[in-house]
Amino acid sequence: MRRQTFIRGLIAGAAVMSLSGVAQAQTPLEVPFYYPVAVGGPITKVIDGYAADFNKVHPQYKVTPIYAGTYQETIVKALTAHKAGKAPATSVLLSTDMFTLMDEGAIAPIDDFVKTDADKAWLKSFYPAFMANSQTGGKTWGVPFQRSTVVMYYNKEAFKEAGLDPNKAPANWKELKEAAQKLTRKDASGKVTQYGIQIPSTGFAYWMLQTLTTPNDVLLANDTGTKVTLNNPKVVEALNYWVGLVKDGVHPAGVVEWGTTPKDFMEKKAAIIVTATGNLTNIKTNAKFDLGVGQIAGNIRKGSPTGGGNFYIFKSAPKEQQQAAFEFAKWVTQPERAAQWSMDSGYVAVSPAAYETPVLKKYGQEFPQALVARDQLPVSVAEFSTHENQRVTKVLNDAIQAALNGTKTAAQAMDDAQKESERILRRYK
């Protein structure tokens, strides 16, 4: 009897030791994180570093970045995975993808994870302008991460050579057109060697149009994403201004590539470009001339659309992964990390508190160009976003390109885009 008791004790002790060993060797929870970048490079190293640092502090989790291509490719992959029951825990996708992700039933409201006073304070800490593309229907669907406004980059040396003040960006449409005329250079044969201004029209043509419609005091869509106003006379006027730059010969003809515009600027093929502040670090690092950065030129008012990407949490991911995704989004957007991310990437830090950190204060004093996009936030509007967003923006992009190519007038292009968009959005009214 004593021997049986002894054996039972040994077995029980071994079981406890075995369970303890399992607990110690327990593998951390995998947390797939889709990030929109097509190739490796400095940004992937930064994102990998964030994941590694988070995992060290939270050893129960293993956030794994998966580089999924462009924004457009990433949302396709994320939604395909969601429909297959293999959604990532989280992904950085365009803030304008919010309605699409909601319509697909793909994302969980961030509010579901906000429990403590600290969580509530964190959710209220972001710039209101960035929350315009993150909230609808009384709920928060995305968390701002790599957010931006559109700015004007200009070559100060080219300004000096043209007799323009290198420390003053054109403040309005009249000044912009006059500067572009003075900055356009031609060789002996009459071929343009340097355009005065270049605005890209592939990929994000609708966003670039907003850099003209916003100063013209008109919005392209309502805040519930159910109605567009593309053929408003002020929208047509704004598109005609862009077309006019082409007709005047101060802007490249036809469709201008989004991806090559910063390169054209750095190679002095364009003296002014209009593009996202997310290009700032790249241009600052590689431009071989004195760089100027200015707010978007005004007309009736000043202003720019916001842009960039939000963190979203996928509803079909396991609950533990969703919670881990929330903790990661909260961790990575803390002021010190938001400040460092802004310096590493060129994006606007997402909260006022980030600009109060010593490191970003010092950076802003040494490189004031980095503050231009932030200073534009009080007059910024939500980036164009609707239900069926990919379809509607394609309609608008195609219309803008038709006007720039000269195959349609601005008025006809916008009328056609309005009709087609209304047809797409009819079911949401």
Side-chain angles (χ1 to χ4, degrees):
M1 187 72 181
R2 220 182 280 167
R3 177 177 168 77
Q4 285 176 327
T5 304
F6 175 71
I7 289 169
R8 275 200 299 269
L10 279 177
I11 292 168
V16 168
M17 286 178 68
S18 174
L19 285 169
S20 172
V22 168
Q24 286 174 3
Q26 187 179 22
T27 53
L29 178 73
E30 284 284 348
V31 184
F33 163 36
Y34 283 16
Y35 184 78
V37 70
V39 293
I43 290 297
T44 58
K45 286 176 186 169
V46 174
I47 296 295
D48 284 341
Y50 284 149
D53 289 347
F54 175 80
N55 294 339
K56 276 181 202 165
V57 181
H58 304 82
Q60 71 272 36
Y61 301 134
K62 188 186 176 187
V63 172
T64 305
I66 298 162
Y67 300 110
T70 63
Y71 275 119
Q72 288 83 357
E73 289 165 342
T74 304
I75 190 172
V76 168
K77 287 175 184 174
L79 286 175
T80 301
H82 160 70
K83 286 170 184 171
K86 296 177 181 176
T90 185
S91 180
V92 171
L93 298 166
L94 287 171
S95 62
T96 54
D97 288 329
M98 177 178 69
F99 290 116
T100 297
L101 292 163
M102 287 167 58
D103 292 342
E104 293 286 344
I107 52 172
I110 302 298
D111 318 76
D112 290 357
F113 305 92
V114 173
K115 308 291 185 194
T116 66
D117 288 343
D119 291 346
K120 290 171 188 171
W122 165 76
L123 196 58
K124 287 180 181 174
S125 70
F126 298 101
Y127 279 109
F130 291 146
M131 298 311 286
N133 280 111
S134 307
Q135 295 173 321
T136 192
K139 291 185 178 179
T140 303
W141 296 93
V143 176
F145 176 55
Q146 50 190 50
R147 297 301 301 274
S148 58
T149 61
V150 187
V151 293
M152 240 189 314
Y153 297 86
Y154 65 97
N155 181 334
K156 287 190 174 186
E157 290 169 16
F159 268 50
K160 279 183 200 168
E161 289 167 13
L164 297 164
D165 184 347
N167 297 312
K168 191 176 170 227
N172 54 55
W173 285 6
K174 183 173 179 289
E175 287 182 13
L176 183 60
K177 185 171 265 192
E178 288 171 355
Q181 287 165 341
K182 290 178 182 176
L183 290 160
T184 300
R185 294 291 174 88
K186 296 179 181 178
D187 63 18
S189 68
K191 183 186 174 187
V192 175
T193 55
Q194 174 181 277
Y195 283 100
I197 183 167
Q198 182 166 313
I199 305 172
S201 48
T202 63
F204 301 96
Y206 72 89
W207 198 35
M208 296 296 100
L209 179 63
Q210 277 193 282
T211 67
L212 297 166
T213 56
T214 305
N216 215 28
D217 202 23
V218 59
L219 297 174
L220 297 178
N222 64 357
D223 58 7
T224 54
T226 59
K227 184 181 176 185
V228 295
T229 52
L230 306 182
N231 60 352
N232 182 296
K234 287 183 177 179
V235 175
V236 175
E237 183 187 11
L239 181 54
N240 267 325
Y241 179 83
W242 191 354
V243 171
L245 295 172
V246 176
K247 287 181 177 174
D248 288 351
V250 300
H251 182 291
V255 173
V256 174
E257 288 294 329
W258 173 267
T260 59
T261 292
K263 188 168 175 280
D264 289 345
F265 178 63
M266 291 186 281
E267 291 177 355
K268 302 183 180 180
K269 292 176 184 173
I272 299 171
I273 60 167
V274 175
T275 190
T277 188
N279 283 308
L280 179 61
T281 301
N282 172 39
I283 292 173
K284 172 184 179 261
T285 304
N286 296 301
K288 307 297 183 197
F289 49 79
D290 200 4
L291 172 66
V293 180
Q295 293 189 20
I296 294 301
N299 191 37
I300 296 171
R301 53 162 285 190
K302 292 285 282 183
S304 161
T306 60
N310 282 346
F311 274 106
Y312 296 98
I313 296 173
F314 278 77
K315 194 159 62 174
S316 59
K319 291 290 180 192
E320 297 85 356
Q321 284 190 359
Q322 292 181 38
Q323 185 62 39
F326 174 72
E327 297 296 339
F328 180 60
K330 196 167 60 167
W331 182 87
V332 86
T333 53
Q334 292 302 310
E336 294 75 17
R337 284 177 210 97
Q340 189 61 49
W341 174 243
S342 179
M343 292 185 292
D344 288 340
S345 65
Y347 287 103
V348 180
V350 288
S351 66
Y355 286 94
E356 294 304 314
T357 59
V359 65
L360 198 48
K361 268 188 173 177
K362 183 169 182 283
Y363 186 68
Q365 287 164 358
E366 293 170 353
F367 184 54
Q369 293 96 323
L371 303 179
V372 172
R374 177 207 66 177
D375 293 344
Q376 200 167 231
L377 282 175
V379 289
S380 292
V381 301
E383 185 177 356
F384 178 72
S385 178
T386 67
H387 292 276
E388 304 276 355
N389 196 56
Q390 282 70 24
R391 291 174 69 196
V392 176
T393 51
K394 184 180 187 310
V395 167
L396 180 51
N397 286 345
D398 289 349
I400 293 164
Q401 290 179 3
L404 292 168
N405 276 328
T407 56
K408 289 182 183 179
T409 64
Q412 186 62 58
M414 290 298 101
D415 267 337
D416 292 348
Q418 179 70 26
K419 285 172 191 163
E420 180 60 14
S421 298
E422 284 178 354
R423 188 187 66 76
I424 294 169
L425 293 172
R426 194 174 297 141
R427 59 184 284 217
Y428 298 99
K429 287 186 178 177

